[in-house]
Amino acid sequence: MRSLLCIFIFIFLFSCGEEGKKKNDAGANSLVKIKYPLTKNVDSLIALLKILPGDSNKINVLNTLAAKLKKNNPDTAIILEDEAVAICKKINWKKGLARSLTGYGVFYRLKGDFPKALDYNLKALELNEALNDKNKISGILINIGNIYKDMGEYAKSIDYYQRGLAAAKEAGNRQWQSNALGNIGSAYHALGDYQKSLEFYAQSQKIYAEIGDRSGTAINYSSIGNVWAEQKNYPVALDYFLKAKNIEEELGDKNELAAVLGNIGTLYLLSGKYNDAYECLYKGIAFSQNIGAADRTRFLYDALSQLYENSTIPLPDSIGGKILNMEQMRLRSLHYFKSYVNLRDTLFSQENKKQLVQKEMNYEFDKKQEKQKAGQDKKDALAKEQLKQKETERNYFIAGFALVLALAGFIFRSYRQKQKANEIISQQKLMVEEKQKEILDSIHYAKRIQRSLLPNEKYIARNLNS
């Protein structure tokens, strides 16, 4: 009855909601497809959490809510994920735990904590490899590629994107394929290969259009705009940025909205439209600081530093702030530049890079150890099987040899018995022959006596004639 009550309440709360859009960011997709849709009514999800028991259904709702809040409130998303992990461990649900670990990886990447993001993604990857879930594996590989791209390790990021693309094709997941293709385009863009970058963006955009993914489409528009901006084709770039902005505003994605506002602001800065640049950059930084997106904030600090350094007109020190003179604007530029450098050094410190390398090395080492152990276990099992087979063969040999010995003993015994019987027969035959000889000798002896006593026929005949 309690389960039925939960179901009825769920239907009531979500009957008016519409199914949320799938997210282009790998982290949103790395959470498994759950039966609870991403509705706009967060309060309904929170209300549902209060009545659900601590089972897989509650884990699904926690993950749904965390995914809903991840870009606008990653700190709250992490708290929700903590609760989901606790329940997963309690009920020993490995698939749910893998999903939550992937969520952690996404949330910490958004916060700019790359070592922690990589650590959680590698743990999730290990679990999903054990579960042989190609669909989830592809998403995690793309997530790891995103971390390395954010760290400026573009060649390494492309390697992970390619691996993610291969896994997505194997799983038949077109969204992952478009995601991986778009990210490969982004990495080539960072490497300065604009032609190759646009080719991959075009492949990605084609799939996004076919599957109706507006979030992915918006991110792709923004990425394509960046390529054209770097080639100084500002009108085309602005057109793509504005398309992306309209979609992000409709979706309410603060993280991506901060990024596209930063892109538009930078474009206005390059075009000499300083007032427009000022409005876009400050709106963007308000979003990024609000959600704690450190990497977005870093980018916007750099853009604001350039704005106050290059502007030829007086600008306020903040939204609605006081107008600065040129000297104050240069000081403001220095302030934002220092903020940019401090945040950059924090995000991309050698220590962070060492941690990333160490975590991946540990993961690869553990995988190697597991592979070696699996290989050794296989060898041990084979050796044990061979030993067992040899023991079986030995037992068969012993049994066969014993059987042969028994058969030989039987044959020898039969032979000895037959030999003894032949000896007895020979003795009996000899005795018979001796008896026969005695009898014959007696007969011959009697016959001689008879002959010696009786006259012979000629003597009788002669006397009769006489």
Side-chain angles (χ1 to χ4, degrees), residues 354-428:
K354 284 179 184 177
Q355 287 186 41
L356 286 180
V357 172
Q358 187 63 45
K359 288 179 186 299
E360 187 170 10
M361 284 177 64
N362 289 341
Y363 173 73
E364 294 297 336
F365 177 76
D366 290 341
K367 279 189 67 177
K368 188 177 180 181
Q369 288 288 93
E370 287 179 7
K371 190 175 180 181
Q372 288 178 345
K373 186 177 181 299
Q376 188 61 45
D377 289 344
K378 189 175 180 181
K379 287 180 182 178
D380 291 343
L382 183 61
K384 189 176 180 180
E385 186 63 29
Q386 289 176 342
L387 181 61
K388 187 178 178 181
Q389 187 175 354
K390 286 181 180 179
E391 288 177 353
T392 303
E393 290 174 355
R394 183 193 65 190
N395 292 337
Y396 281 141
F397 174 76
I398 292 171
F401 185 70
L403 183 62
V404 170
L405 284 177
L407 183 61
F410 176 76
I411 293 172
F412 181 73
R413 184 169 172 272
S414 299
Y415 172 75
R416 289 293 298 162
Q417 288 176 347
K418 185 175 181 181
Q419 193 175 37
K420 285 181 180 180
N422 288 338
E423 288 177 357
I424 293 171
I425 292 170
S426 297
Q427 290 176 358
Q428 290 176 345

Coordinates of all heavy atoms in Angstrom, one line a residue, residues 354-428:
K354 N 49.7 17.5 -11.2 CA 50.3 16.3 -10.6 C 49.3 15.4 -10.1 O 49.4 14.2 -10.2 CB 51.3 16.7 -9.5 CG 52.6 17.3 -10.0 CD 53.5 17.7 -8.8 CE 54.7 18.4 -9.2 NZ 55.5 18.9 -8.1
Q355 N 48.3 16.0 -9.4 CA 47.2 15.1 -8.9 C 46.4 14.4 -10.0 O 46.1 13.2 -9.9 CB 46.2 16.0 -8.1 CG 46.8 16.5 -6.8 CD 45.7 17.2 -5.9 OE1 44.6 16.8 -5.9 NE2 46.1 18.3 -5.3
L356 N 46.2 15.1 -11.1 CA 45.5 14.5 -12.2 C 46.3 13.3 -12.8 O 45.8 12.2 -13.0 CB 45.3 15.5 -13.4 CG 44.2 16.6 -13.2 CD1 44.1 17.5 -14.4 CD2 42.8 15.9 -13.0
V357 N 47.6 13.6 -13.0 CA 48.5 12.5 -13.5 C 48.6 11.4 -12.5 O 48.5 10.2 -12.9 CB 49.9 13.1 -13.8 CG1 50.9 12.0 -14.1 CG2 49.9 14.1 -14.9
Q358 N 48.7 11.7 -11.2 CA 48.8 10.6 -10.2 C 47.5 9.8 -10.2 O 47.6 8.6 -10.1 CB 49.0 11.3 -8.8 CG 49.3 10.3 -7.7 CD 50.6 9.5 -8.0 OE1 51.6 10.0 -8.4 NE2 50.5 8.2 -7.8
K359 N 46.4 10.5 -10.2 CA 45.1 9.7 -10.2 C 44.9 8.8 -11.4 O 44.5 7.7 -11.2 CB 43.9 10.7 -10.1 CG 43.8 11.4 -8.7 CD 42.6 12.4 -8.7 CE 42.6 13.2 -7.4 NZ 42.5 12.3 -6.2
E360 N 45.3 9.3 -12.6 CA 45.2 8.5 -13.7 C 46.2 7.3 -13.7 O 45.9 6.2 -14.1 CB 45.4 9.3 -15.0 CG 45.1 8.5 -16.3 CD 45.0 9.3 -17.5 OE1 45.4 10.5 -17.5 OE2 44.6 8.8 -18.6
M361 N 47.4 7.7 -13.2 CA 48.4 6.6 -13.1 C 48.0 5.5 -12.1 O 48.1 4.3 -12.3 CB 49.8 7.2 -12.6 CG 50.5 8.0 -13.7 SD 52.0 8.8 -13.1 CE 53.0 7.3 -12.6
N362 N 47.4 6.0 -11.0 CA 46.9 5.0 -10.0 C 45.8 4.1 -10.6 O 45.7 2.9 -10.4 CB 46.3 5.7 -8.8 CG 47.4 6.4 -7.9 OD1 48.6 6.0 -8.0 ND2 47.0 7.3 -7.1
Y363 N 44.9 4.8 -11.4 CA 43.8 4.0 -12.1 C 44.4 3.0 -13.0 O 44.0 1.9 -13.1 CB 42.9 5.0 -12.8 CG 41.8 4.4 -13.6 CD1 40.8 3.7 -13.0 CD2 41.9 4.4 -15.0 CE1 39.8 3.1 -13.8 CE2 41.0 3.7 -15.8 CZ 39.9 3.1 -15.2 OH 39.0 2.5 -15.9
E364 N 45.3 3.5 -13.9 CA 45.9 2.6 -14.9 C 46.7 1.5 -14.2 O 46.7 0.3 -14.6 CB 46.9 3.4 -15.8 CG 46.2 4.4 -16.7 CD 45.2 3.8 -17.7 OE1 45.4 2.6 -18.0 OE2 44.3 4.4 -18.1
F365 N 47.4 1.8 -13.0 CA 48.1 0.8 -12.3 C 47.2 -0.2 -11.7 O 47.5 -1.4 -11.8 CB 48.9 1.5 -11.2 CG 49.7 0.5 -10.3 CD1 50.9 -0.1 -10.7 CD2 49.2 0.2 -9.0 CE1 51.5 -1.0 -9.9 CE2 49.9 -0.7 -8.2 CZ 51.1 -1.3 -8.7
D366 N 46.1 0.3 -11.1 CA 45.1 -0.6 -10.6 C 44.5 -1.6 -11.7 O 44.3 -2.8 -11.5 CB 44.0 0.1 -9.9 CG 44.4 0.8 -8.6 OD1 45.5 0.4 -8.1 OD2 43.7 1.8 -8.2
K367 N 44.3 -0.9 -12.8 CA 43.7 -1.8 -14.0 C 44.8 -2.8 -14.4 O 44.4 -3.9 -14.7 CB 43.4 -0.9 -15.2 CG 42.0 -0.2 -15.0 CD 41.7 0.5 -16.3 CE 41.4 -0.5 -17.4 NZ 40.9 0.2 -18.7
K368 N 46.0 -2.4 -14.4 CA 47.1 -3.3 -14.8 C 47.2 -4.4 -13.8 O 47.4 -5.6 -14.2 CB 48.4 -2.5 -14.9 CG 49.6 -3.3 -15.5 CD 50.8 -2.4 -15.7 CE 52.0 -3.3 -16.3 NZ 53.2 -2.5 -16.4
Q369 N 47.2 -4.0 -12.5 CA 47.2 -5.0 -11.5 C 46.1 -6.0 -11.6 O 46.3 -7.2 -11.4 CB 47.2 -4.3 -10.1 CG 48.5 -3.6 -9.7 CD 49.6 -4.5 -9.4 OE1 50.4 -4.8 -10.3 NE2 49.7 -4.9 -8.2
E370 N 44.9 -5.5 -11.8 CA 43.7 -6.3 -12.0 C 43.9 -7.3 -13.2 O 43.5 -8.4 -13.1 CB 42.5 -5.5 -12.1 CG 42.0 -4.8 -10.8 CD 40.8 -4.0 -11.0 OE1 40.2 -4.0 -12.1 OE2 40.4 -3.2 -10.1
K371 N 44.4 -6.7 -14.2 CA 44.6 -7.5 -15.4 C 45.7 -8.6 -15.2 O 45.5 -9.7 -15.6 CB 45.1 -6.6 -16.6 CG 45.1 -7.3 -18.0 CD 45.5 -6.3 -19.0 CE 45.5 -6.9 -20.4 NZ 45.8 -6.0 -21.5
Q372 N 46.7 -8.2 -14.5 CA 47.8 -9.2 -14.2 C 47.2 -10.2 -13.2 O 47.5 -11.4 -13.4 CB 49.0 -8.5 -13.5 CG 49.8 -7.6 -14.5 CD 51.0 -6.9 -13.8 OE1 51.0 -6.8 -12.6 NE2 51.9 -6.4 -14.6
K373 N 46.4 -9.8 -12.3 CA 45.8 -10.7 -11.3 C 44.9 -11.7 -12.1 O 44.9 -12.9 -11.8 CB 45.1 -10.0 -10.2 CG 44.5 -10.9 -9.1 CD 43.9 -10.1 -8.0 CE 43.4 -11.0 -6.9 NZ 42.4 -11.9 -7.4
A374 N 44.1 -11.1 -13.0 CA 43.2 -11.9 -13.7 C 44.0 -12.9 -14.6 O 43.6 -14.1 -14.7 CB 42.3 -11.1 -14.6
G375 N 45.1 -12.4 -15.2 CA 45.9 -13.3 -16.0 C 46.5 -14.4 -15.1 O 46.6 -15.6 -15.6
Q376 N 47.0 -14.0 -13.9 CA 47.6 -15.0 -13.0 C 46.6 -16.0 -12.6 O 46.8 -17.2 -12.5 CB 48.3 -14.3 -11.8 CG 49.1 -15.2 -11.0 CD 50.2 -15.9 -11.7 OE1 51.0 -15.2 -12.4 NE2 50.4 -17.2 -11.5
D377 N 45.4 -15.5 -12.2 CA 44.3 -16.4 -11.8 C 44.0 -17.4 -12.9 O 43.7 -18.5 -12.6 CB 43.0 -15.6 -11.4 CG 43.2 -14.8 -10.1 OD1 44.2 -15.1 -9.4 OD2 42.4 -13.9 -9.9
K378 N 44.0 -16.9 -14.1 CA 43.7 -17.7 -15.3 C 44.8 -18.8 -15.4 O 44.5 -20.0 -15.7 CB 43.6 -16.9 -16.6 CG 43.1 -17.7 -17.8 CD 42.9 -16.7 -19.0 CE 42.4 -17.5 -20.2 NZ 42.2 -16.6 -21.3
K379 N 46.0 -18.3 -15.3 CA 47.1 -19.3 -15.3 C 47.1 -20.3 -14.2 O 47.3 -21.5 -14.4 CB 48.5 -18.5 -15.3 CG 48.8 -17.8 -16.5 CD 50.2 -17.1 -16.3 CE 50.5 -16.2 -17.6 NZ 51.8 -15.5 -17.4
D380 N 46.7 -19.8 -13.0 CA 46.6 -20.7 -11.9 C 45.5 -21.7 -12.1 O 45.6 -22.9 -11.8 CB 46.3 -19.9 -10.6 CG 47.6 -19.1 -10.1 OD1 48.7 -19.4 -10.6 OD2 47.4 -18.2 -9.3
A381 N 44.4 -21.2 -12.6 CA 43.2 -22.1 -12.9 C 43.6 -23.2 -13.9 O 43.3 -24.3 -13.8 CB 42.0 -21.3 -13.3
L382 N 44.4 -22.7 -15.0 CA 44.8 -23.6 -16.0 C 45.8 -24.6 -15.5 O 45.7 -25.8 -15.8 CB 45.4 -22.8 -17.2 CG 45.9 -23.6 -18.4 CD1 44.7 -24.3 -19.0 CD2 46.6 -22.7 -19.4
A383 N 46.7 -24.2 -14.6 CA 47.7 -25.1 -14.0 C 47.0 -26.1 -13.1 O 47.3 -27.3 -13.1 CB 48.7 -24.3 -13.2
K384 N 46.0 -25.6 -12.4 CA 45.2 -26.5 -11.5 C 44.5 -27.5 -12.3 O 44.4 -28.7 -12.0 CB 44.3 -25.6 -10.7 CG 43.5 -26.4 -9.6 CD 42.7 -25.5 -8.7 CE 42.0 -26.3 -7.6 NZ 41.1 -25.4 -6.8
E385 N 43.9 -27.0 -13.4 CA 43.2 -28.0 -14.3 C 44.1 -29.0 -14.9 O 43.7 -30.2 -15.0 CB 42.4 -27.1 -15.4 CG 41.5 -28.0 -16.3 CD 40.4 -28.6 -15.6 OE1 39.9 -28.0 -14.5 OE2 39.9 -29.6 -16.0
Q386 N 45.3 -28.5 -15.4 CA 46.3 -29.4 -15.9 C 46.7 -30.4 -14.9 O 46.9 -31.6 -15.2 CB 47.4 -28.6 -16.5 CG 47.1 -27.8 -17.7 CD 48.3 -27.0 -18.2 OE1 49.2 -26.7 -17.4 NE2 48.2 -26.5 -19.4
L387 N 47.0 -30.0 -13.7 CA 47.4 -30.9 -12.6 C 46.3 -31.9 -12.3 O 46.6 -33.1 -12.1 CB 47.7 -30.1 -11.3 CG 48.1 -30.9 -10.1 CD1 49.4 -31.6 -10.4 CD2 48.3 -29.9 -8.9
K388 N 45.0 -31.4 -12.3 CA 43.9 -32.3 -12.1 C 43.8 -33.3 -13.2 O 43.6 -34.5 -12.9 CB 42.6 -31.5 -12.0 CG 41.4 -32.3 -11.6 CD 40.2 -31.4 -11.5 CE 38.9 -32.2 -11.2 NZ 37.7 -31.3 -11.1
Q389 N 44.1 -32.8 -14.4 CA 44.0 -33.8 -15.6 C 45.1 -34.8 -15.5 O 44.9 -36.0 -15.7 CB 44.1 -33.0 -16.9 CG 43.9 -33.8 -18.1 CD 43.9 -32.9 -19.4 OE1 44.0 -31.7 -19.3 NE2 43.9 -33.6 -20.5
K390 N 46.3 -34.3 -15.0 CA 47.5 -35.2 -14.9 C 47.2 -36.3 -13.8 O 47.5 -37.4 -13.9 CB 48.7 -34.5 -14.5 CG 49.3 -33.7 -15.7 CD 50.6 -33.0 -15.4 CE 51.2 -32.3 -16.6 NZ 52.4 -31.5 -16.2
E391 N 46.5 -35.8 -12.7 CA 46.2 -36.7 -11.6 C 45.2 -37.7 -12.1 O 45.2 -38.9 -11.7 CB 45.6 -35.9 -10.4 CG 46.7 -35.1 -9.6 CD 46.0 -34.3 -8.5 OE1 44.8 -34.3 -8.4 OE2 46.8 -33.7 -7.7
T392 N 44.2 -37.2 -12.9 CA 43.2 -38.2 -13.4 C 43.9 -39.2 -14.4 O 43.6 -40.4 -14.3 CB 42.2 -37.3 -14.2 OG1 41.6 -36.4 -13.4 CG2 41.1 -38.3 -14.8
E393 N 44.8 -38.7 -15.2 CA 45.5 -39.6 -16.1 C 46.3 -40.6 -15.3 O 46.4 -41.8 -15.7 CB 46.4 -38.8 -17.0 CG 45.7 -37.9 -18.1 CD 46.6 -37.0 -18.9 OE1 47.8 -37.0 -18.6 OE2 46.1 -36.4 -19.8
R394 N 47.0 -40.1 -14.2 CA 47.8 -41.0 -13.4 C 46.9 -42.0 -12.8 O 47.2 -43.2 -12.7 CB 48.5 -40.2 -12.3 CG 49.4 -41.0 -11.4 CD 49.8 -40.2 -10.2 NE 48.6 -39.9 -9.3 CZ 48.6 -39.1 -8.3 NH1 49.7 -38.4 -8.0 NH2 47.5 -38.9 -7.6
N395 N 45.7 -41.6 -12.3 CA 44.8 -42.5 -11.6 C 44.3 -43.6 -12.7 O 44.2 -44.8 -12.3 CB 43.6 -41.8 -11.0 CG 44.0 -41.0 -9.8 OD1 45.0 -41.2 -9.2 ND2 43.2 -39.9 -9.5
Y396 N 44.0 -43.1 -13.9 CA 43.6 -44.0 -14.9 C 44.8 -45.0 -15.3 O 44.5 -46.2 -15.5 CB 43.2 -43.2 -16.2 CG 41.8 -42.6 -16.2 CD1 41.6 -41.4 -16.7 CD2 40.8 -43.3 -15.6 CE1 40.3 -40.8 -16.6 CE2 39.5 -42.8 -15.6 CZ 39.3 -41.5 -16.1 OH 38.0 -41.0 -16.0
F397 N 46.0 -44.5 -15.3 CA 47.1 -45.3 -15.6 C 47.3 -46.4 -14.5 O 47.5 -47.6 -14.8 CB 48.4 -44.5 -15.7 CG 49.7 -45.3 -15.8 CD1 50.0 -45.9 -17.1 CD2 50.5 -45.5 -14.8 CE1 51.1 -46.6 -17.2 CE2 51.7 -46.3 -14.9 CZ 52.0 -46.8 -16.1
I398 N 47.2 -45.9 -13.2 CA 47.3 -46.9 -12.1 C 46.2 -47.9 -12.2 O 46.5 -49.1 -12.0 CB 47.3 -46.1 -10.8 CG1 48.6 -45.3 -10.6 CG2 47.2 -47.1 -9.6 CD1 48.5 -44.3 -9.4
A399 N 45.0 -47.4 -12.4 CA 43.9 -48.4 -12.5 C 44.1 -49.4 -13.7 O 43.9 -50.6 -13.5 CB 42.6 -47.6 -12.6
G400 N 44.5 -48.8 -14.8 CA 44.8 -49.7 -16.0 C 45.9 -50.6 -15.7 O 45.8 -51.8 -16.1
F401 N 47.0 -50.1 -15.1 CA 48.1 -51.0 -14.8 C 47.7 -52.1 -13.8 O 48.1 -53.3 -14.0 CB 49.3 -50.2 -14.2 CG 50.5 -50.9 -14.0 CD1 51.3 -51.4 -15.1 CD2 50.9 -51.3 -12.7 CE1 52.4 -52.1 -14.9 CE2 52.1 -52.0 -12.5 CZ 52.9 -52.4 -13.6
A402 N 46.9 -51.7 -12.8 CA 46.4 -52.7 -11.9 C 45.5 -53.8 -12.6 O 45.6 -55.0 -12.3 CB 45.6 -52.1 -10.7
L403 N 44.7 -53.3 -13.5 CA 43.9 -54.2 -14.3 C 44.7 -55.1 -15.1 O 44.4 -56.3 -15.2 CB 42.9 -53.4 -15.1 CG 41.9 -54.2 -15.9 CD1 40.9 -54.9 -15.0 CD2 41.1 -53.2 -16.8
V404 N 45.7 -54.5 -15.7 CA 46.6 -55.4 -16.6 C 47.3 -56.4 -15.7 O 47.4 -57.6 -16.1 CB 47.7 -54.5 -17.3 CG1 48.7 -55.4 -17.9 CG2 47.0 -53.7 -18.4
L405 N 47.8 -56.0 -14.5 CA 48.4 -56.9 -13.6 C 47.5 -58.0 -13.2 O 47.8 -59.2 -13.1 CB 49.0 -56.2 -12.3 CG 50.2 -55.4 -12.5 CD1 50.6 -54.6 -11.2 CD2 51.4 -56.2 -12.9
A406 N 46.2 -57.6 -12.8 CA 45.2 -58.6 -12.4 C 45.0 -59.6 -13.6 O 44.9 -60.8 -13.4 CB 43.9 -57.9 -12.0
L407 N 44.8 -59.0 -14.8 CA 44.6 -59.9 -16.0 C 45.8 -60.8 -16.2 O 45.6 -62.0 -16.5 CB 44.3 -59.0 -17.2 CG 44.0 -59.7 -18.5 CD1 42.7 -60.5 -18.3 CD2 43.8 -58.7 -19.6
A408 N 47.0 -60.2 -16.1 CA 48.2 -61.0 -16.2 C 48.2 -62.2 -15.2 O 48.6 -63.3 -15.5 CB 49.4 -60.2 -16.2
G409 N 47.9 -61.8 -13.9 CA 47.9 -62.8 -12.9 C 46.9 -63.9 -13.1 O 47.1 -65.1 -12.9
F410 N 45.7 -63.4 -13.7 CA 44.6 -64.4 -14.0 C 45.1 -65.4 -15.1 O 44.9 -66.6 -15.0 CB 43.4 -63.7 -14.4 CG 42.3 -64.6 -14.9 CD1 41.5 -65.3 -14.0 CD2 42.0 -64.7 -16.2 CE1 40.5 -66.1 -14.4 CE2 41.0 -65.5 -16.7 CZ 40.2 -66.2 -15.8
I411 N 45.7 -64.7 -16.1 CA 46.2 -65.5 -17.3 C 47.3 -66.5 -16.8 O 47.4 -67.7 -17.2 CB 46.7 -64.6 -18.4 CG1 45.6 -63.8 -19.0 CG2 47.5 -65.4 -19.4 CD1 46.0 -62.8 -20.0
F412 N 48.3 -66.0 -15.9 CA 49.4 -66.8 -15.4 C 48.8 -68.0 -14.6 O 49.3 -69.1 -14.7 CB 50.3 -65.9 -14.6 CG 51.5 -66.7 -14.1 CD1 52.5 -67.1 -14.9 CD2 51.6 -67.1 -12.7 CE1 53.6 -67.8 -14.4 CE2 52.6 -67.8 -12.2 CZ 53.7 -68.2 -13.1
R413 N 47.8 -67.6 -13.7 CA 47.2 -68.7 -12.9 C 46.5 -69.7 -13.8 O 46.7 -70.9 -13.5 CB 46.2 -68.0 -12.0 CG 45.5 -68.9 -11.0 CD 44.7 -68.1 -10.0 NE 43.9 -69.0 -9.1 CZ 42.7 -69.4 -9.4 NH1 42.1 -69.0 -10.5 NH2 42.1 -70.2 -8.5
S414 N 45.8 -69.2 -14.8 CA 45.2 -70.2 -15.7 C 46.2 -71.0 -16.4 O 46.0 -72.3 -16.6 CB 44.3 -69.4 -16.7 OG 43.3 -68.7 -16.1
Y415 N 47.3 -70.3 -16.8 CA 48.4 -71.1 -17.5 C 49.0 -72.1 -16.6 O 49.2 -73.3 -17.0 CB 49.4 -70.1 -18.0 CG 50.7 -70.8 -18.5 CD1 50.7 -71.4 -19.8 CD2 51.8 -70.8 -17.7 CE1 51.8 -72.0 -20.2 CE2 53.0 -71.4 -18.2 CZ 53.0 -72.0 -19.5 OH 54.1 -72.6 -19.9
R416 N 49.2 -71.7 -15.3 CA 49.8 -72.7 -14.3 C 48.8 -73.8 -14.1 O 49.3 -75.0 -14.0 CB 50.1 -72.0 -13.0 CG 51.3 -71.0 -13.1 CD 52.6 -71.7 -13.3 NE 52.9 -72.6 -12.2 CZ 53.8 -73.6 -12.3 NH1 54.4 -73.8 -13.4 NH2 54.0 -74.4 -11.2
Q417 N 47.5 -73.5 -14.0 CA 46.6 -74.6 -13.7 C 46.5 -75.5 -14.9 O 46.5 -76.7 -14.8 CB 45.2 -74.0 -13.5 CG 45.0 -73.3 -12.1 CD 43.7 -72.6 -11.9 OE1 43.0 -72.5 -12.9 NE2 43.4 -72.3 -10.7
K418 N 46.6 -74.9 -16.1 CA 46.5 -75.7 -17.3 C 47.8 -76.6 -17.4 O 47.8 -77.8 -17.8 CB 46.4 -74.8 -18.6 CG 46.2 -75.6 -19.9 CD 46.0 -74.7 -21.0 CE 45.8 -75.4 -22.3 NZ 45.6 -74.5 -23.5
Q419 N 48.9 -76.0 -17.0 CA 50.2 -76.7 -17.1 C 50.2 -77.9 -16.1 O 50.6 -79.0 -16.4 CB 51.4 -75.7 -16.7 CG 52.7 -76.3 -17.1 CD 53.8 -75.3 -16.8 OE1 53.7 -74.5 -15.9 NE2 54.8 -75.2 -17.6
K420 N 49.7 -77.6 -14.9 CA 49.5 -78.7 -13.9 C 48.6 -79.8 -14.4 O 48.9 -81.0 -14.3 CB 49.0 -78.1 -12.6 CG 50.0 -77.3 -11.8 CD 49.5 -76.8 -10.5 CE 50.5 -76.0 -9.7 NZ 49.9 -75.5 -8.4
A421 N 47.5 -79.3 -15.0 CA 46.6 -80.3 -15.6 C 47.2 -81.2 -16.7 O 47.1 -82.4 -16.8 CB 45.3 -79.6 -16.1
N422 N 48.0 -80.5 -17.5 CA 48.7 -81.2 -18.6 C 49.7 -82.2 -18.0 O 49.9 -83.3 -18.5 CB 49.5 -80.2 -19.5 CG 48.5 -79.4 -20.4 OD1 47.4 -79.9 -20.6 ND2 48.9 -78.3 -20.8
E423 N 50.4 -81.8 -16.9 CA 51.3 -82.7 -16.2 C 50.6 -83.9 -15.7 O 51.1 -85.0 -15.8 CB 52.1 -81.9 -15.1 CG 53.1 -80.9 -15.6 CD 53.7 -80.1 -14.4 OE1 53.3 -80.4 -13.3 OE2 54.6 -79.3 -14.7
I424 N 49.5 -83.6 -15.0 CA 48.7 -84.8 -14.5 C 48.3 -85.7 -15.6 O 48.3 -86.9 -15.5 CB 47.5 -84.3 -13.7 CG1 47.9 -83.5 -12.5 CG2 46.5 -85.4 -13.4 CD1 46.8 -82.8 -11.7
I425 N 47.8 -85.1 -16.7 CA 47.3 -85.9 -17.9 C 48.5 -86.7 -18.4 O 48.4 -87.9 -18.8 CB 46.7 -85.0 -19.0 CG1 45.4 -84.4 -18.4 CG2 46.5 -85.7 -20.3 CD1 44.8 -83.3 -19.3
S426 N 49.7 -86.0 -18.5 CA 50.9 -86.7 -19.0 C 51.2 -87.9 -18.1 O 51.6 -89.0 -18.6 CB 52.0 -85.7 -19.1 OG 51.8 -84.7 -20.0
Q427 N 51.2 -87.6 -16.8 CA 51.5 -88.7 -15.9 C 50.5 -89.9 -16.0 O 50.8 -91.0 -16.0 CB 51.5 -88.2 -14.4 CG 52.7 -87.2 -14.2 CD 52.6 -86.6 -12.8 OE1 51.6 -86.9 -12.0 NE2 53.6 -85.9 -12.4
Q428 N 49.2 -89.4 -16.1 CA 48.1 -90.5 -16.2 C 48.3 -91.2 -17.5 O 48.2 -92.5 -17.6 CB 46.7 -89.8 -16.2 CG 46.4 -89.3 -14.8 CD 45.1 -88.5 -14.8 OE1 44.6 -88.2 -15.9 NE2 44.5 -88.3 -13.6

